[in-house]
Amino acid sequence: DEKVSSTWELIVAPWLALLRDTSFVVLLVLFSLGFAAFQGYITVLNSILLPEGFTTNQAGLVGVCVIGAGLAGAGVSGALVDATHRYKLLLVCPLVGTLGTQIWIALRVGRMSVAELYACSSVAGFCILAILPVSLELAAEITFPVPEFASNGLMYACGTLASFAMVFVLDAMQDPRPPHAMTRALWFLCGLWAALVALSAFVRVT
């Protein structure tokens, strides 16, 4: 009974309180779908690039570019949000940047040089992971005095579940005919990022 009571007080009760907060729910949806889009894209990267004539090694280096630049983006945005507290601006700008790079990749993937692919993927990674620390900091800000671990834990949990579903969604969009292009999946991701840019207008900083 004590363990059940402790779990309720530490995890379940704070999560229920968070889900009653409209501002947090908007941010939760934005974070979860963005996290899922990123994880899904990384997971099906080979399926996207190999039909377009890129090699397995080149696809692997694209993943390195995305992750490496993403870590830099997360570091920069985290430092900026701590210094300026411009949460909305530092959330919207990376979202717009991500949308732009995703559209560019969707339009150009079959005609890109390797250098252009690496550069575009680096910009995409920088923008996508720059969203992460801003979202987590903003969640803690708007849900105070709910403990920060509760909001962050719920966001990561929902993001992980959404990522699991996203991989199946993107994989289902693969063209069944050779060379099994992922064009529809790329444009689906563009539409998703456009929706997240629109959703960011409803994020409230309080």
Side-chain angles (χ1 to χ4, degrees):
D1 290 343
E2 289 182 5
K3 289 184 178 180
V4 172
S5 177
S6 177
T7 301
W8 176 270
E9 291 177 1
L10 289 175
I11 300 175
V12 180
W15 281 13
L16 290 176
L18 290 170
L19 293 173
R20 289 193 291 268
D21 186 327
T22 304
S23 296
F24 174 77
V25 170
V26 170
L27 186 60
L28 177 65
V29 172
L30 193 155
F31 176 89
S32 299
L33 293 179
F35 190 82
F38 170 72
Q39 294 284 2
Y41 178 73
I42 289 294
T43 302
V44 302
L45 199 53
N46 276 10
S47 298
I48 291 172
L49 296 178
L50 297 188
E52 304 298 340
F54 296 100
T55 67
T56 303
N57 286 341
Q58 289 167 343
L61 286 173
V62 168
V64 171
C65 289
V66 172
I67 299 297
L71 292 174
V76 169
S77 68
L80 285 174
V81 78
D82 284 340
T84 67
H85 300 287
R86 299 292 298 274
Y87 298 102
K88 189 73 172 281
L89 178 65
L90 292 170
L91 181 65
V92 173
C93 287
L95 283 169
V96 173
T98 301
L99 174 60
T101 54
Q102 287 288 293
I103 291 174
W104 186 258
I105 290 171
L107 288 171
R108 296 266 311 151
V109 66
R111 304 188 300 277
M112 276 183 171
S113 67
V114 175
E116 182 184 356
L117 177 62
Y118 291 162
C120 195
S121 298
S122 296
V123 174
F126 186 94
C127 291
I128 292 172
L129 287 188
I131 298 166
L132 183 67
V134 179
S135 300
L136 297 175
E137 288 280 345
L138 180 55
E141 186 77 15
I142 63 179
T143 59
F144 183 82
V146 175
E148 185 174 343
F149 73 83
S151 60
N152 288 358
L154 182 55
M155 291 171 79
Y156 275 120
C158 291
T160 301
L161 289 174
S163 299
F164 181 76
M166 184 66 68
V167 172
F168 287 99
V169 170
L170 296 178
D171 192 57
M173 292 182 178
Q174 186 173 40
D175 191 336
R177 299 164 299 179
H180 307 296
M182 295 285 281
T183 307
R184 286 179 294 181
L186 284 172
W187 284 110
F188 171 80
L189 288 172
C190 291
L192 179 57
W193 285 112
L196 295 181
V197 170
L199 183 64
S200 68
F202 298 95
V203 172
R204 296 286 178 262
V205 181
T206 54

